[in-house]
Amino acid sequence: WTLYSRTPPNRKPRRAHLWHCDKGPAAFAKILFCLTSSAESGACTELLDRATTQAFDRAGYVFGGQEARRTDLSALAAEHSIPFDPLTCRLEAGESLLFSPRFLLPRGVPPTRSERAMFQVVFLPSPRPWREALARLDATPPARRRGYAWVRSAQTLARVLDGE
């Protein structure tokens, strides 16, 4: 999926501005395309490495409810003796960041000087090889395919292809 977002400066932090992991399949990736530079907007993205993310997971933080998300994990890190040294990614306009949001804790640092514009692309694995899925869909009678030209999810496509 894709998402274009514009974040004005000095707004209350949104969900993406709090430390979190994205739920999803084990193997998926996200790429953030920065359309305005960090130097211009004051915004950036912070990430924790996998070992640190796993330590926060053991402490019960990673996949908690949205109301439990925090902008600062330093106190929780100290409480659980977790080394806390986020990687700060300051991108220029046109640069991008590719990462696995299920295994790394990220947070967007909101802009302070000007609007931040970003384009995101999430790469999700298909539940079956695409050639097989396309061949099975082509072999499905048109009456059964009605409404499935653009399915809402890969799981829906898998159900259609399995004849459910």
Side-chain angles (χ1 to χ4, degrees):
W1 58 261
T2 62
L3 174 68
Y4 171 74
S5 63
R6 294 172 30 185
T7 306
N10 303 313
R11 284 276 179 93
K12 179 182 175 184
R14 299 182 335 202
R15 293 180 327 171
H17 300 134
L18 307 172
W19 289 104
H20 67 283
C21 278
D22 294 348
K23 292 181 181 178
F28 81 103
K30 180 182 280 190
I31 188 165
L32 306 176
F33 293 97
C34 200
L35 304 176
T36 53
S37 74
S38 291
E40 177 186 330
S41 69
C44 64
T45 299
E46 293 182 328
L47 289 167
L48 297 178
D49 63 35
R50 191 168 183 159
T52 305
T53 298
Q54 289 172 335
F56 277 107
D57 190 25
R58 287 190 298 275
Y61 179 79
V62 173
F63 288 113
Q66 291 186 29
E67 67 285 347
R69 288 185 183 182
R70 304 180 188 187
T71 57
D72 184 2
L73 291 178
S74 56
L76 185 62
E79 180 183 330
H80 292 275
S81 302
I82 301 170
F84 185 65
D85 186 24
L87 170 66
T88 301
C89 302
R90 290 184 176 86
L91 302 174
E92 294 299 318
E95 292 182 332
S96 59
L97 173 66
L98 173 66
F99 66 102
S100 177
R102 189 177 189 289
F103 296 113
L104 304 178
L105 273 166
R107 87 175 191 103
V109 176
T112 55
R113 294 188 283 277
S114 68
E115 180 178 84
R116 178 187 203 186
M118 180 170 291
F119 185 70
Q120 299 180 43
V121 178
V122 173
F123 299 93
L124 294 166
S126 173
R128 46 175 93 247
W130 71 268
R131 284 185 176 95
E132 176 189 333
L134 187 60
R136 290 182 76 177
L137 189 60
D138 284 345
T140 303
R144 290 225 37 238
R145 278 190 287 174
R146 204 165 284 127
Y148 291 105
W150 297 100
V151 295
R152 292 192 179 278
S153 71
Q155 290 173 335
T156 301
L157 179 60
R159 283 195 304 272
V160 170
L161 295 175
D162 288 337
E164 292 180 21

